[in-house]
Amino acid sequence: LHGQKPKEALPPEQRSLQQLLRAEAIFREIQIARGDSQGGGQQQQEQDMADMFELQLDKMKNQYETVQRQQQQQQNEQQDEIARRLAELAKRQQQQLEQRMRQQQQGGGGGGSQRQQQEMIDEAQKLARELERLSRDRRDPKLEEAARQLQQSADEMRRSQAASSQASSQQGGSQQQQMEAQAQAMRALERMEQAKRMLQSSQSAGGQRSLQQLRQQAEEALRKQDEIARNVDEMARDGQGAASEQKKAQVSESKQALAEKMTGLERDLDQAARNLGQDKQQASDKLREAANGIRNNRIPDRIRASRQLIDSGFMDQARD
């Protein structure tokens, strides 16, 4: 994590979180099994242990979400860059195809230099490889299909290049070969357009998943805030004895974890708004409005300030 390598850090973070979740489930099963036979003091002790375990789990979740957020941002940027380059490649192929058609109508051949055609073939193959890697990282069949379409487009471009070169080498050129080269160039463009549609579909589906994740994050943050509020009320009623020091520390740490979660939620809202872009302007504006609400109201800072009040013993003010 300190080395800023989220892709390498994410798998061990995932395994660590899974082990913690299993441990939490086992711990709660033990609590339920032994709950009826235990005295109140021991029950309270185990409840405190459960609260501490949940707090550590929250910290691990925040760390995992940070790594995941960094990786998703890198992948989103990579996908956006691939989409931009693919759109440019399709535009070049369209222009070359139009040039070929004009030259054939005028009785000539060609359709772009061999060097330009080879550059486009190389770019299509490079994009196909990048999409293939990204599809594995994201386990996205739409990206895999886009990569397949791009590879087929590169194959069609190569066949078109060969047919065009053979026609040009003959006296006056073969009309049939020129027509075949044009048809193959047309099929290459169609494959590119199909790859673009699959890429756009993947981006749209990713946006929907992001919105669902944001909703879950917001609901979890609200649940945590309600839980903290109940604990603060309980401490305010019980007074400031030595027995409450552990509870104060737990609530203070919970406040810190919640502040970090809200900071992450703010960043995720901003990122999701950028990813939606102009196509879904209304939804994008709503996300920016939510992010600005967190930012303008300084919610993470206020949560941290209330944590300091708890540490100082001002329970009534900490409720707010």
Side-chain angles (χ1 to χ4, degrees):
L1 284 175
H2 290 290
Q4 296 296 313
K5 296 181 179 179
K7 184 175 181 179
E8 290 80 357
L10 190 58
E13 286 288 338
Q14 288 174 325
R15 290 192 294 271
S16 178
L17 180 59
Q18 288 169 358
Q19 294 297 332
L20 279 174
L21 290 172
R22 292 193 188 101
E24 182 189 36
I26 294 171
F27 185 81
R28 294 197 181 281
E29 288 177 3
I30 294 173
Q31 277 190 300
I32 294 172
R34 299 178 60 187
D36 295 337
S37 61
Q38 293 173 342
Q42 191 170 358
Q43 284 182 329
Q44 182 59 47
Q45 184 179 8
E46 291 214 353
Q47 182 59 49
D48 290 342
M49 288 178 61
D51 291 342
M52 291 179 62
F53 191 94
E54 186 172 0
L55 177 59
Q56 293 303 316
L57 185 61
D58 286 340
K59 291 180 179 179
M60 178 60 70
K61 284 181 178 179
N62 283 344
Q63 190 175 23
Y64 168 74
E65 288 169 358
T66 298
V67 177
Q68 192 177 46
R69 184 180 300 113
Q70 290 174 344
Q71 185 185 48
Q72 287 178 345
Q73 182 175 353
Q74 288 180 355
Q75 290 175 345
N76 288 340
E77 291 173 355
Q78 182 182 4
Q79 189 165 341
D80 290 344
E81 176 63 14
I82 290 174
R84 183 194 66 77
R85 288 162 56 196
L86 177 55
E88 177 63 25
L89 181 62
K91 181 179 179 181
R92 290 173 60 190
Q93 178 67 9
Q94 176 69 45
Q95 291 173 344
Q96 190 176 94
L97 180 61
E98 292 173 354
Q99 180 184 356
R100 185 191 301 274
M101 294 172 66
R102 286 195 301 269
Q103 290 176 339
Q104 288 181 357
Q105 289 173 357
Q106 296 169 2
S113 71
Q114 290 290 321
R115 181 182 60 81
Q116 290 174 334
Q117 291 175 4
Q118 188 59 50
E119 286 176 353
M120 293 172 62
I121 293 170
D122 292 343
E123 176 68 2
Q125 290 181 313
K126 184 177 180 180
L127 287 173
R129 289 193 297 269
E130 292 178 12
L131 275 172
E132 179 64 29
R133 287 194 295 268
L134 189 59
S135 71
R136 289 196 300 268
D137 291 340
R138 290 198 153 178
R139 298 181 177 87
D140 189 336
K142 294 180 179 179
L143 293 179
E144 184 179 3
E145 175 62 18
R148 189 178 68 83
Q149 292 291 337
L150 260 180
Q151 183 56 56
Q152 291 181 355
S153 176
D155 294 340
E156 292 288 357
M157 291 164 67
R158 187 178 292 105
R159 284 191 285 269
S160 175
Q161 181 188 42
S164 178
S165 177
Q166 187 174 2
S168 299
S169 66
Q170 298 176 3
Q171 186 68 27
S174 168
Q175 184 69 22
Q176 182 178 356
Q177 288 173 331
Q178 291 177 3
M179 293 296 294
E180 180 60 24
Q182 180 177 322
Q184 288 163 336
M186 179 70 75
R187 287 196 292 269
L189 179 59
E190 291 171 353
R191 297 290 189 183
M192 285 185 201
E193 293 296 337
Q194 179 64 17
K196 284 174 58 178
R197 287 191 290 271
M198 296 304 297
L199 195 53
Q200 290 167 356
S201 178
S202 172
Q203 290 174 314
S204 177
Q208 292 300 318
R209 286 193 299 270
S210 296
L211 291 177
Q212 185 177 2
Q213 290 170 355
L214 287 171
R215 187 180 300 111
Q216 292 173 348
Q217 286 179 247
E219 291 172 352
E220 183 178 356
L222 181 60
R223 180 179 65 81
K224 289 294 181 183
Q225 175 57 29
D226 290 342
E227 181 181 322
I228 292 172
R230 288 194 300 270
N231 289 332
V232 172
D233 286 339
E234 181 182 337
M235 287 191 298
R237 289 193 303 268
D238 294 344
Q240 300 302 308
S244 67
E245 289 303 315
Q246 183 179 2
K247 194 70 173 178
K248 284 171 57 179
Q250 291 177 4
V251 172
S252 177
E253 290 297 319
S254 295
K255 285 272 189 179
Q256 178 63 24
L258 180 60
E260 293 174 0
K261 186 175 291 292
M262 293 303 297
T263 300
L265 180 59
E266 176 190 333
R267 288 196 294 265
D268 289 346
L269 286 166
D270 282 330
Q271 183 63 41
R274 287 193 295 270
N275 290 342
L276 286 177
Q278 299 296 324
D279 294 339
K280 297 183 179 179
Q281 188 63 48
Q282 186 174 2
S284 179
D285 290 343
K286 290 288 186 182
L287 291 174
R288 287 193 178 89
E289 182 180 345
N292 288 333
I294 296 174
R295 188 160 38 246
N296 296 338
N297 290 308
R298 301 175 61 245
I299 291 178
D301 291 338
R302 293 174 66 181
I303 293 173
R304 293 187 182 97
S306 67
R307 178 195 182 195
Q308 294 176 353
L309 290 172
I310 291 173
D311 293 340
S312 302
F314 297 103
M315 293 300 162
D316 292 335
Q317 295 93 323
R319 282 198 195 98
D320 299 332

Short mmCIF file of all heavy atoms in Angstrom, two decimals, residues 3 11-12 86 101 179 202 233 243 283 299 312 319:
data_model
loop_
_atom_site.label_atom_id
_atom_site.label_comp_id
_atom_site.label_asym_id
_atom_site.label_seq_id
_atom_site.Cartn_x
_atom_site.Cartn_y
_atom_site.Cartn_z
N GLY A 3 3.74 1.55 -1.12
CA GLY A 3 4.42 1.65 -2.41
C GLY A 3 3.50 2.04 -3.55
O GLY A 3 3.92 2.10 -4.69
N PRO A 11 -5.06 -8.55 -3.97
CA PRO A 11 -5.32 -9.96 -3.63
C PRO A 11 -5.08 -10.30 -2.16
O PRO A 11 -5.94 -10.91 -1.53
CB PRO A 11 -4.38 -10.72 -4.58
CG PRO A 11 -4.22 -9.80 -5.74
CD PRO A 11 -4.20 -8.43 -5.15
N PRO A 12 -3.91 -9.91 -1.55
CA PRO A 12 -3.76 -10.21 -0.12
C PRO A 12 -4.77 -9.47 0.75
O PRO A 12 -5.19 -9.98 1.79
CB PRO A 12 -2.31 -9.78 0.19
CG PRO A 12 -1.89 -8.93 -0.95
CD PRO A 12 -2.66 -9.39 -2.13
N LEU A 86 -9.54 3.83 -29.61
CA LEU A 86 -10.35 3.03 -30.54
C LEU A 86 -11.21 3.94 -31.42
O LEU A 86 -11.35 3.69 -32.63
CB LEU A 86 -11.23 2.07 -29.75
CG LEU A 86 -12.21 1.21 -30.56
CD1 LEU A 86 -11.48 0.42 -31.65
CD2 LEU A 86 -12.98 0.27 -29.64
N MET A 101 -12.47 4.29 -51.88
CA MET A 101 -13.66 4.31 -52.76
C MET A 101 -13.55 5.43 -53.79
O MET A 101 -13.90 5.25 -54.95
CB MET A 101 -14.91 4.46 -51.91
CG MET A 101 -15.20 3.25 -51.01
SD MET A 101 -16.57 3.53 -49.83
CE MET A 101 -17.94 3.68 -50.97
N MET A 179 -11.98 -4.68 -55.33
CA MET A 179 -13.28 -4.77 -54.68
C MET A 179 -13.21 -5.61 -53.41
O MET A 179 -13.84 -5.29 -52.39
CB MET A 179 -14.31 -5.35 -55.66
CG MET A 179 -14.62 -4.46 -56.84
SD MET A 179 -15.40 -2.89 -56.35
CE MET A 179 -16.96 -3.49 -55.70
N SER A 202 -19.93 -2.00 -21.63
CA SER A 202 -19.19 -2.33 -20.41
C SER A 202 -19.08 -1.13 -19.49
O SER A 202 -19.26 -1.25 -18.27
CB SER A 202 -17.78 -2.82 -20.78
OG SER A 202 -16.98 -2.98 -19.62
N ASP A 233 -25.00 7.99 23.60
CA ASP A 233 -26.11 8.20 24.53
C ASP A 233 -25.97 7.32 25.76
O ASP A 233 -26.22 7.75 26.90
CB ASP A 233 -27.44 7.92 23.83
CG ASP A 233 -27.85 9.02 22.86
OD1 ASP A 233 -27.34 10.15 23.01
OD2 ASP A 233 -28.66 8.75 21.96
N ALA A 243 -14.78 2.57 34.33
CA ALA A 243 -15.27 1.43 33.55
C ALA A 243 -15.64 1.82 32.14
O ALA A 243 -15.77 0.97 31.27
CB ALA A 243 -16.47 0.79 34.25
N ALA A 283 -28.10 12.25 -13.64
CA ALA A 283 -27.56 11.38 -12.59
C ALA A 283 -26.18 11.87 -12.14
O ALA A 283 -25.86 11.84 -10.95
CB ALA A 283 -27.47 9.94 -13.10
N ILE A 299 -18.30 16.98 6.66
CA ILE A 299 -18.78 15.89 7.50
C ILE A 299 -17.64 15.07 8.11
O ILE A 299 -17.65 14.81 9.32
CB ILE A 299 -19.76 14.99 6.71
CG1 ILE A 299 -21.05 15.79 6.43
CG2 ILE A 299 -20.08 13.71 7.47
CD1 ILE A 299 -22.08 15.04 5.61
N SER A 312 -12.26 13.89 25.21
CA SER A 312 -12.16 14.88 26.29
C SER A 312 -13.27 14.74 27.32
O SER A 312 -13.26 15.43 28.34
CB SER A 312 -12.20 16.30 25.70
OG SER A 312 -11.15 16.48 24.78
N ARG A 319 -22.80 14.09 20.97
CA ARG A 319 -24.01 13.54 20.34
C ARG A 319 -24.30 14.23 19.01
O ARG A 319 -24.80 13.64 18.09
CB ARG A 319 -25.22 13.75 21.28
CG ARG A 319 -25.32 12.79 22.44
CD ARG A 319 -26.74 12.81 22.98
NE ARG A 319 -26.81 12.20 24.29
CZ ARG A 319 -26.81 12.87 25.43
NH1 ARG A 319 -26.71 14.20 25.41
NH2 ARG A 319 -26.88 12.26 26.58
#
